[in-house]
Amino acid sequence: MNKKSASLWKSFRIGILILAALIVYAYGFQVTKVNLGEFRKESRQESRVRVMRALARPDIFAYQQVETTVVVPLYIPCPAEIPQNTLTDQSQPYLILTPACGKPGEEIKVEGFNFPPNLKGPLYFVPSSDPADKLALQKGNIQADSQGHFVFSFKLPDRLSDQVQYLRVIVRQNVGLPHFSATAIETWNKIIETIFLALLATTIGTLFSIPISFFAARNLMKDVKSSVTQIALSLLGWPFGVFGGLILARWMGEINSLIRANIFFSIGLTAGCALAAYGLLRYAFFHRSGNSSFGWRLIVPQFAQMIAVLLTVQSFFLISQLGIPAGMAIATHLGKMAFLGNFITQLSDLMLTSLPAVLAIGGGAVLGSLFGNLGRKLNERLSIHALKVVDFLLAMLAGALLCLIIAAVIGWLYEIPNLGRFYLIASGLGAILGAVLAGLTKPRQPLPVGLAIYTITRTVLNAVRSIEALIMAIVAVIWVGIGPFAGVLALGLHTIASLAKLYSEQVESISPGPLEAVMATGATRLQTIVYAVIPQIIPPYISFTMYRWDINVRMSTIIGFAGGGGIGFLLIQNINLLNYRAASTQMLAIAIVVAAMDYFSSWMREKYV
Amino acid sequence: MLTVTNLTKIYPGGVLALDRVSFAVPDGQFLAVIGLSGSGKSTLLRCINRLIEPTDGQIIWNEIDITSASEEELRTIRRKIGMVFQHFNLVHRSKVLTNVLAGRLGYINPAWSLINHFPKEDVQKAFRQMDRVGIADKAYQRADELSGGQQQRVGIARALMQDPQLILADEPVASLDPVLAHSIMKILQEINKEDKVTVICSLHFLDLVHRYADRVVALKEGQLVFEGLPEEIDDRKFKEIYGKDAERVG
Ligand SMILES: Nc1ncnc2c1ncn2[C@@H]1O[C@H](COP(=O)(O)OP(=O)(O)OP(=O)(O)O)[C@@H](O)[C@H]1O
Ligand SMILES: [Mg+2]
């Protein structure tokens, strides 16, 4: 009894489930407008056939064509006397009408001789006494047989004239070897653009996502812990470092504009800077930090390192400023290889533009870690009670500064009117938050900063990844205009997010043994990454990069739909113009490239991983 | 002198892996750590160089408090403590030479090492150490192309590169056959006797303990249940350490 009711209940449940599924699908049909009637409609069928036939004949090859035009006089109605036909050269194509004249609506037979065999061509009625008149009505198509003969009948049109009128037949004959059509050449150019678009996007994505992937790897970040003092001081150090870096960049830029006058002088200076930097670096690095006795032995190499870094940056500035005119000069003198010069110019420009940003980030990192170290020293030196007070003050300051920066961004974004008060509120809030944090933690208590960074990185990556590259392209087009560069930016950004995620998962799955072993030798965190993590992740990284390139080639074929350059731009244009034969060529090109890339990437992965 | 006092480790899951363990190791001693699987041997060794953060207790080594060392101090301590692992823990895809040189990472300038550049003396030293453990001809092979015994030699050479005053060996021969086991143990013994390096080595087989160790500590469920000479482990002590159903092999 019990069993029976259970099984009854079960069938009832299944019935309900099926019913629910039915409703869901019914609604799905409703909203997606599934309608076979439209599919069966005559006009649909016609256009379907037309498009499919066009698609089946991609416009790739074209022939040089010779056009043969033959005309024959025609009279409607019959005149009193028909002028004698002068044409007698029977080796040329000619037309004979029977009868040679008639009333409108009368059936008339057109016979052609000596036409190029097996060719098709249009037959026109020319309502004019000029046989070459542009205005002509197509009456049908003729089809010559293997002897070059055809017969065609048609009704005379209602176009009375006492003048002579004409019939015209045009056939086009292919001569010589086939050559690539204009569409094919255009497609080829765009597909090259597409492949390089994908290559650049993948390169940019890889370069940025490698460092990011370490921050998004739990196993590397979970042990990174610092005390409140350290975190607060480092947070305070960062903005000042960024600011200092920017000021430094401006100084260096000004120095450069002063000495730009003489090209030989700047070349010499660049070389001098680079050499000096190299020498200093060698000196600094070969000084072992073995004996940790404090004193000039430790200070001097540090100082030398700093000067060397500054000199290096300065020489980068100089190089990039030299590179712009140098690239232009090369471009004007190299003719076909001008793109190399352009490359140098663009690269230098890129370097010049990004150097301040690099300096700002570098300055922030340096000052942040210096301040962090100071925090560690404070933790060691100060008593618990003093530390508590210091922590409170620092945390409040850091919180206020952080919130002030966030407030500045928000204020700018939303154009908030009463900025002074807004900033005051924000920094007050930050200070309170900092105080609360300091109050909740014990002095010297290690807080999981690493996990916080990990979580933030992961969240940002997931958010960016969920935006399709096609949508990013729309934004990128607003930033840099329609063209492949926008596509590179959009695809690059998407690549960063998705590769960083894939990479970090690889980092998380490495075997922990070597990590532990290298850590045990007293290596720093960075050394551990270089010696124990990187060798383990190289194969999957290569594999994922290839895979991503594959995806990027695929994506770049359609990124043009949104104005991102590449072949997609051409494709969507031709589809909109109903130029299906050209579109078919582009689809074919996409299919070939994607298949080739697929094959190539799997071959590379097999070979090198 | 290494002094461990009331060392306690509770893992996040709540497992009490070490329970107020105290003992001392004079310089130059070969100390064996024995105990059943799961008794806390690995945890103990890793607490000494703080690969695992102890929950409580103190470890003093040459008057330095390891347990309260800052991250920076810990690195200078660690570089004097070599470590040898049961599964060798080599970086498989790297060359043997690179694996050995990794032992110098605590000494050389971090920035230089990032581009895989080591001073000449260090490279020479690496070849001397590889020669010493008998794998100099394998320097340019990938680490995973070597046999188990050879891999453990690489591991020892890596530890020797640190100029260690203490070597922690966590079951260094547990994944090797008996013949290889003896050859590896002999290398450790030689380092201990000739270079006067203190060795703390966890072992599974009592015959190895008898043959190589100066002194033994035994762990059982995280507690220190025996401390003394290898000869003092009689049948009664054995049953105490390994449980009453255990039987001696070898
Ligand atoms: N990361 C960890 N998290 C939680 N518990 C752990 C962890 N590592 C070890 N343990 C537990 O701590 C106890 C001691 O482990 P440990 O690895 O130190 O034993 P062992 O004596 O080295 O064993 P074996 O001889 O098998 O290597 C075991 O009960 C183990 O399950
Ligand atoms: Mg173990």
Side-chain angles (χ1 to χ4, degrees), chain A residues 389-447:
Chain A
V389 177
V390 169
D391 275 1
F392 243 109
L393 288 177
L394 286 176
M396 282 174 77
L397 263 179
L401 189 63
L402 195 66
C403 284
L404 198 62
I405 291 172
I406 295 173
V409 173
I410 293 177
W412 172 81
L413 210 56
Y414 295 96
E415 301 175 272
I416 287 176
N418 205 341
L419 271 181
R421 231 185 68 204
F422 182 59
Y423 286 168
L424 206 67
I425 293 171
S427 46
L429 205 71
I432 292 171
L433 280 177
V436 167
L437 182 73
L440 284 180
T441 54
K442 290 199 250 351
R444 299 204 190 110
Q445 182 187 345
L447 299 177

Side-chain angles (χ1 to χ4, degrees), chain B residues 11-18 35-44 46 52 86 170-171 202 204 219:
Chain B
Y11 279 110
V15 180
L16 180 62
L18 291 176
L36 277 177
S37 188
S39 57
K41 303 183 294 295
S42 302
T43 308
L44 172 64
R46 279 169 176 70
I52 291 176
Q86 175 183 356
D170 188 13
E171 296 177 29
S202 67
H204 264 309
L219 291 175

Side-chain angles (χ1 to χ4, degrees), chain A residues 285 288 516 522 524 527 531, chain B residues 46 70 75 89 112-113 121:
Chain A
F285 281 160
R288 307 272 203 99
E516 174 181 65
T524 61
Q527 285 175 323
Y531 282 86
Chain B
R46 279 169 176 70
S70 70
R75 293 206 306 113
N89 288 1
W112 225 207
S113 70
E121 316 92 80

Side-chain angles (χ1 to χ4, degrees), chain A residues 184-248:
Chain A
I185 291 168
E186 201 179 15
T187 304
W188 169 260
N189 286 337
K190 283 288 171 187
I191 206 87
I192 295 289
E193 183 182 301
T194 306
I195 291 171
F196 279 93
L197 193 161
L199 176 70
L200 278 190
T202 313
T203 312
I204 291 175
T206 309
L207 286 181
F208 281 96
S209 54
I210 287 176
I212 293 174
S213 69
F214 295 129
F215 289 110
R218 196 186 183 89
N219 56 344
L220 296 185
M221 297 306 285
K222 72 173 193 302
D223 293 330
V224 180
K225 289 182 177 156
S226 328
S227 61
V228 175
T229 334
Q230 265 170 288
I231 299 171
L233 270 171
S234 209
L235 276 181
L236 284 173
W238 263 91
F240 289 113
V242 167
F243 190 63
L246 285 177
I247 287 186
L248 202 67

Side-chain angles (χ1 to χ4, degrees), chain A residues 223 225 278 281-282 284-292 305 373 376 380 511-528 530-532 535-539 608-609, chain B residues 46 49 51 70-75 78-83 85 88-94 98 102-119 121-122 158 162:
Chain A
D223 293 330
K225 289 182 177 156
Y278 178 73
L281 277 182
R282 266 189 86 85
F285 281 160
F286 274 117
H287 257 259
R288 307 272 203 99
S289 53
N291 48 344
S292 51
Q305 257 177 39
N373 278 347
R376 220 185 46 222
E380 287 164 15
S511 87
L515 212 69
E516 174 181 65
V518 172
M519 208 108 101
T521 66
T524 61
R525 208 169 283 281
L526 203 56
Q527 285 175 323
T528 312
V530 172
Y531 282 86
Q536 293 196 62
I537 54 177
I538 283 176
Y608 292 106
V609 179
Chain B
R46 279 169 176 70
N49 63 0
L51 281 180
S70 70
E71 205 169 318
E72 205 54 36
E73 291 163 344
L74 186 60
R75 293 206 306 113
R78 273 180 185 166
R79 67 184 191 190
K80 285 284 174 197
I81 304 179
M83 194 154 190
F85 302 85
F88 325 130
N89 288 1
L90 303 183
V91 182
H92 284 203
R93 293 177 52 86
S94 296
T98 314
R104 287 308 285 177
L105 286 177
Y107 290 92
I108 66 174
N109 189 307
W112 225 207
S113 70
L114 295 186
I115 52 166
N116 208 348
H117 183 282
F118 287 85
E121 316 92 80
D122 285 350
R158 175 174 62 193
Q162 295 175 237

